[in-house]
Amino acid sequence: MSEQTQQTKPGVVIVGAGMAGVQTAVALREQGFTGPVTLLGAEPHQPYDRPPLSKAVLLGKAEDSAFDVDFEGLDIELRLGTEVTGLRHAARELDTGAGPVPYGALVLATGARPLTLPGTEGVPGVHLLRTLDDAARLRPVLAAAPATVVVGAGWIGAEFATAARAAGCAVTVVEAADRVLAGALPAEVTAPMAHWYAEAGAELITGAKVAGVEEGRVRLADGRELAAGAVVVGIGARPATDWLAGTGVDLGPDGSVTADAHLRTTLPGVYAVGDCSSFPSARYGARLLVHHWDNALQGPRAVAANILAGEPVRAYDPVPYFWSEQFGRFVQYAGHHAGADALLWRGDPGGAGWSVCWLRDGALVAVLAVGRPRDLAQGRKLIESGVRLDPARVADPAVPLKSATA
């Protein structure tokens, strides 16, 4: 495509200034797009990275986590504090509080919103942790080291409990399911992870539903009451797509935009990427909704390539990856273990470093690594290659995974 042709193309508008939106804008420039690029962000802050919010920013070790991107130098128009409320595709326009915004190509990168605990709206001392403002409100609270109740023992709940303990808070984690990470990993894998809470000095209560939250206390369904100078809710997130209802963009039961293999939506010229979008994986034979940082980094490159070409030239079928820092451990996961027919341990789950490998028909489909980054790095490449492995060698922690081929 010639530069002259690109200059006459309508501009690209990106809704959402989180990781997925910013990386889409950057990828467009890196891949040679010279037309207008407009990035719309609902928050007033310079675009920032979210993982540090539950770590350095929350603990006062960093003021923010702004992306190191020269938007002006890249000729990316950044419109902050601009919430998009509607999409009229026939007119190729977005509705915003500042008036309509026309687009040639449109990228939906609105991310996800944290789920709230019913009945807690407006209750003093109840917090979510999703935005920079959330972290700013929580930082002085933690500094005062109150008794803290964390609702939810998923990834974010564990990370917040870790930060609260580091701040000197007494921490109780309440989980409605009968175990930690119930929606993410099998029970046998999460069993050793449950012990991390007590080791860190946090109390873990599973199989307990919250009946109500009042200022200073949390009431459980079994009648127990927990003192709570602060309550942090970490019970999951849902794609921020409510504003797309009735626009012609198909949404799934989970609220995600149902993108195709090239991250196109059901409207021509409209793409979706990151936490707000699901995509079909040929690798796993399933539609995946991945609420993790790496997905928001990798997907934009495919979107940018397809926008530049004006046709589907790059399918998106990654090996999903994420990490979590909790209770002094570095936890990494790659792949998708649903559909696996074998689960193999590498190392002692009671020790400092161990891994779990999932195989299907002899090939690695997922790996969880705790303090074993080489297992993760090598396992990720093996998943991509689809090579068959020797189960006995996989199960031997002394054998490098890359040497466990059949």
Side-chain angles (χ1 to χ4, degrees):
M1 183 182 296
S2 70
E3 182 173 331
Q4 182 178 5
T5 302
Q6 285 193 41
Q7 289 283 13
T8 59
K9 284 175 67 69
V12 178
V13 174
I14 303 163
V15 184
M19 170 63 87
V22 168
Q23 289 301 321
T24 299
V26 170
L28 283 166
R29 292 301 188 224
E30 287 180 343
Q31 295 181 30
F33 183 75
T34 56
V37 175
T38 303
L39 185 61
L40 306 179
E43 293 183 55
H45 310 289
Q46 280 291 116
Y48 59 88
D49 204 5
R50 293 190 189 279
L53 296 184
S54 61
K55 306 172 185 70
V57 175
L58 189 60
L59 293 174
K61 298 177 181 178
E63 285 303 312
D64 59 35
S65 54
F67 291 117
D68 185 17
V69 175
D70 183 0
F71 294 101
E72 185 175 354
L74 290 172
D75 193 21
I76 296 168
E77 182 182 358
L78 188 59
R79 299 189 192 178
L80 301 175
T82 303
E83 184 168 359
V84 178
T85 58
L87 165 61
R88 290 174 288 109
H89 188 62
R92 294 258 171 163
E93 284 187 340
L94 295 166
D95 292 323
T96 77
V101 176
Y103 64 85
L106 177 63
V107 181
L108 306 175
T110 49
R113 291 195 177 96
L115 297 175
T116 59
L117 196 62
T120 61
E121 294 81 0
V123 176
V126 178
H127 302 269
L128 298 169
L129 182 54
R130 182 73 182 181
T131 69
L132 188 61
D133 287 338
D134 291 337
R137 283 189 290 267
L138 264 168
R139 190 159 61 184
V141 172
L142 285 192
T148 302
V149 173
V150 179
V151 182
W155 299 113
I156 189 64
E159 289 187 3
F160 182 82
T162 300
R165 287 297 298 137
C169 301
V171 176
T172 302
V173 180
V174 177
E175 169 58 51
D178 61 359
R179 58 189 179 86
V180 303
L181 294 166
L185 295 169
E188 62 186 297
V189 176
T190 62
M193 303 167 86
H195 299 301
W196 299 350
Y197 288 78
E199 290 175 9
E203 182 182 3
L204 174 64
I205 304 175
T206 57
K209 294 186 178 180
V210 174
V213 178
E214 302 165 12
E215 185 173 7
R217 65 173 181 163
V218 173
R219 291 183 291 105
L220 303 183
D222 62 8
R224 282 180 287 179
E225 292 190 355
L226 307 174
V231 178
V232 178
V233 179
I235 55 175
R238 183 177 173 84
T241 56
D242 291 348
W243 66 282
L244 290 168
T247 63
V249 174
D250 276 2
L251 303 177
D254 54 14
S256 66
V257 176
T258 53
D260 69 6
H262 297 89
L263 300 182
R264 299 175 298 177
T265 74
T266 45
L267 292 179
V270 180
Y271 300 78
V273 67
D275 289 5
C276 73
S277 171
S278 64
F279 57 90
S281 170
R283 184 190 312 277
Y284 291 107
R287 176 165 287 274
L288 303 182
L289 174 61
V290 181
H291 280 185
H292 294 295
W293 187 90
D294 192 65
N295 179 50
L297 175 67
Q298 303 294 341
R301 297 168 185 168
V303 168
N306 294 327
I307 289 176
L308 260 76
E311 59 183 352
V313 295
R314 184 181 299 182
Y316 184 61
D317 195 7
V319 174
Y321 166 74
F322 73 89
W323 78 96
S324 177
E325 296 176 86
Q326 51 185 266
F327 307 118
R329 294 167 173 85
F330 188 45
V331 184
Q332 297 171 281
Y333 177 93
H336 180 66
H337 63 268
D341 53 35
L343 185 156
L344 302 172
W345 291 84
R346 287 172 59 81
D348 177 7
W354 50 274
S355 299
V356 175
C357 294
W358 287 268
L359 276 63
R360 184 179 64 218
D361 297 330
L364 189 68
V365 292
V367 58
L368 172 78
V370 178
R372 289 179 65 98
R374 288 185 181 178
D375 279 3
L376 190 289
Q378 294 175 17
R380 194 174 183 181
K381 292 178 181 178
L382 290 170
I383 295 170
E384 290 172 347
S385 70
V387 65
R388 291 178 63 86
L389 303 180
D390 178 345
R393 292 177 65 78
V394 171
D396 185 348
V399 175
L401 266 183
K402 64 182 180 182
S403 301
T405 52

